[in-house]
Amino acid sequence: MKMNSLLILAGDGIGPEVMDEVLRVIEWLGDRRGIRFDVVEDLVGGAAYDVHGIPLHDDTLEKARKADAILLGAAGGPKYDNLEFGLKPERGLLKLRKELDLYANLRPAICFDALSGFSSLKPEIVSGLNIMIVRELTSGVYFGEPRGITPDNEGGRIGVNTQRYTTNEIRRVARTAFELARRRDNRVCSMEKANVMESGVLWREEVQWVGDNEFPDVELSHMYADAGGMQLVRWPKQFDVIVTDNLFGDMLSDVAAMLSGSLGMLPSASLGAPSADGCPKALYEPVHGSAPDIAGKGIANPCAAILSFAMALRYSFDRGDEADRIEVAVERTLSQGIRTADLLQVKGAKPASTRQVGDSVIGNLDESV
Ligand code: IPM
Ligand code: MN
């Protein structure tokens, strides 16, 4: 029998600490549920730069191409701030996304009941919240040419980036959003700035085309991205699936993260086109990043990384049942009050360590079988 293969790229900052807890959940699935993974570990970001002098080695990219799914921790850190642009840790992550053509980035913003008092917004605004942001991930201003910094003729400089989208790039990510909506509340809201950007006009027209021609059963609306940001904090429950471009999606998903209580709770999936066997190439990572200020202290919240692995079970391995089990175990841990410092409300209450949260999740998994 072919084993499921997983490439683990723990990366920088808190990446390795939170990934240790994910590895325990993977082991638990093998021991207790007979679902085994062939796990390969490698380097990305600053960790790769330290060893190879580049943030993503070609061998690692090859392993990523072969793996059924990739789990990534985080990339980046102040130690690498002065590196030239092309060598920065983040370039490793961007290269993985681009080379594997992982164009659809799924960022769910879910507010667990146990955390509804924790958001910076009022509990009634966020409790029961369940929205999905679909961010285009391999094009737009992140990759558009021309780009760069050049001298101008007044002794100053010009910084240039290009926002660029094609019909195909817009339609394929729109399809991902519509398909997800069909399995949820059947509503898609597309966000751009068609009032000031031609690429936004194209975005709006192409998303509408996909809706009219391929998903007439799904309710489609459009919003300018600035108004969308405002609506996300005013009344987020009006949304089901949001689809937007790379840069707006980066921003809006960080805004949405705070609705769920903490950036330490948010998983993500980056999916490519479905392959012959029906499974897309895919990379799963927590949204929180490397958090250098708390790295190495054993206090980071491992929930987002664990929930990212649950997304891998759902989208890459067709094990929605085990994904549900893990999500419930995480939710129990939170409601039992076992929380890292990012989720502690009461002054003087003792925060749990990364390991203690992992212990509790494993304990809750044990109880679920
Ligand atoms: C994210 C991050 C990345 C991005 C960085 C680390 C390159 O902020 O995944 O949201 O801007 O896409
Ligand atoms: Mn971001």
Side-chain angles (χ1 to χ4, degrees):
M1 202 185 96
K2 185 184 165 282
M3 271 223 285
N4 298 321
S5 65
L6 267 180
L7 173 65
I8 301 225
L9 303 172
D12 306 327
I14 61 172
E17 311 163 41
V18 296
M19 204 54 90
D20 279 347
E21 303 311 311
V22 177
L23 284 164
R24 294 171 72 201
V25 174
I26 293 172
E27 211 167 288
W28 184 92
L29 274 181
D31 292 349
R32 301 294 304 273
R33 308 293 300 154
I35 304 170
R36 287 175 219 291
F37 292 90
D38 183 6
V39 175
V40 176
E41 296 189 56
D42 208 339
L43 305 171
V44 74
Y49 176 82
D50 289 341
V51 174
H52 304 299
I54 42 172
L56 182 73
H57 196 276
D58 283 346
D59 288 349
T60 313
L61 184 57
E62 247 347 271
K63 289 179 195 167
R65 286 189 204 285
K66 290 198 185 109
D68 293 325
I70 304 151
L71 301 183
L72 192 136
K79 182 176 158 197
Y80 309 100
D81 277 353
N82 296 323
L83 283 181
E84 80 173 70
F85 215 62
L87 295 177
K88 282 191 190 291
E90 290 82 354
R91 300 309 300 179
L93 176 56
L94 294 173
K95 188 165 175 192
L96 268 173
R97 291 172 178 171
K98 189 72 179 170
E99 290 287 328
L100 301 178
D101 201 20
L102 305 171
Y103 60 84
N105 183 215
L106 278 45
R107 298 191 162 185
I110 293 170
C111 185
F112 288 105
D113 279 346
L115 298 183
S116 63
F118 211 81
S119 168
S120 51
L121 299 185
K122 298 188 193 84
E124 64 268 28
I125 306 234
V126 294
S127 72
L129 179 77
N130 183 344
I131 59 185
M132 176 70 87
I133 298 189
V134 179
R135 165 189 176 194
E136 198 292 324
L137 201 60
T138 52
S139 185
V141 77
Y142 271 57
F143 297 97
E145 301 279 348
R147 64 185 298 160
I149 302 178
T150 49
D152 68 8
N153 41 29
E154 297 161 2
R157 296 181 301 161
I158 310 174
V160 175
N161 289 92
T162 303
Q163 167 80 332
R164 179 180 183 280
Y165 270 107
T166 65
T167 293
N168 174 48
E169 286 168 344
I170 299 167
R171 288 187 186 179
R172 64 182 186 170
V173 73
R175 286 186 186 106
T176 304
F178 282 112
E179 264 151 24
L180 282 165
R182 274 187 178 156
R183 288 186 263 143
R184 301 168 45 99
D185 201 35
N186 218 31
R187 292 181 293 121
V188 171
C189 180
S190 170
M191 296 186 186
E192 30 52 25
K193 286 278 290 176
N195 51 346
V196 285
M197 297 164 77
E198 283 79 0
S199 60
V201 174
L202 186 75
W203 182 278
R204 185 175 283 225
E205 290 174 359
E206 295 297 350
V207 173
Q208 188 66 48
W209 187 92
V210 174
D212 291 344
N213 290 282
E214 299 175 16
F215 298 87
D217 54 307
V218 181
E219 186 186 313
L220 171 63
S221 59
H222 303 272
M223 220 179 248
Y224 296 137
D226 53 345
M230 186 266 285
Q231 291 297 339
L232 264 176
V233 291
R234 191 185 75 88
W235 187 240
K237 285 187 249 180
Q238 69 186 281
F239 298 112
D240 180 26
V241 175
I242 293 173
V243 63
T244 189
D245 77 13
N246 203 343
L247 184 61
F248 291 139
D250 183 41
M251 266 209 57
L252 294 171
S253 64
D254 265 27
V255 172
M258 254 346 267
L259 307 174
S260 70
S262 165
L263 201 50
M265 291 304 302
L266 244 85
S268 80
S270 305
L271 309 178
S275 62
D277 63 5
C279 267
K281 264 267 149 280
L283 179 147
Y284 301 87
E285 57 178 316
V287 174
H288 53 57
S290 61
D293 51 324
I294 57 164
K297 297 183 180 160
I299 59 171
N301 186 349
C303 291
I306 294 172
L307 294 171
S308 296
F309 175 57
M311 287 188 90
L313 289 168
R314 197 182 298 286
Y315 293 105
S316 287
F317 301 114
D318 202 20
R319 291 309 300 249
D321 53 342
E322 299 299 333
D324 288 344
R325 181 193 302 285
I326 292 170
E327 285 163 8
V328 169
V330 168
E331 171 139 45
R332 291 235 167 92
T333 293
L334 296 172
S335 53
Q336 286 155 351
I338 299 163
R339 304 175 184 183
T340 41
D342 53 312
L343 294 175
L344 269 201
Q345 232 157 1
V346 194
K347 272 226 156 61
K350 197 169 156 11
S353 66
T354 308
R355 179 46 53 99
Q356 284 166 331
V357 171
D359 287 343
S360 164
V361 171
I362 298 283
N364 285 322
L365 286 172
D366 280 336
E367 267 172 35
S368 74
V369 292

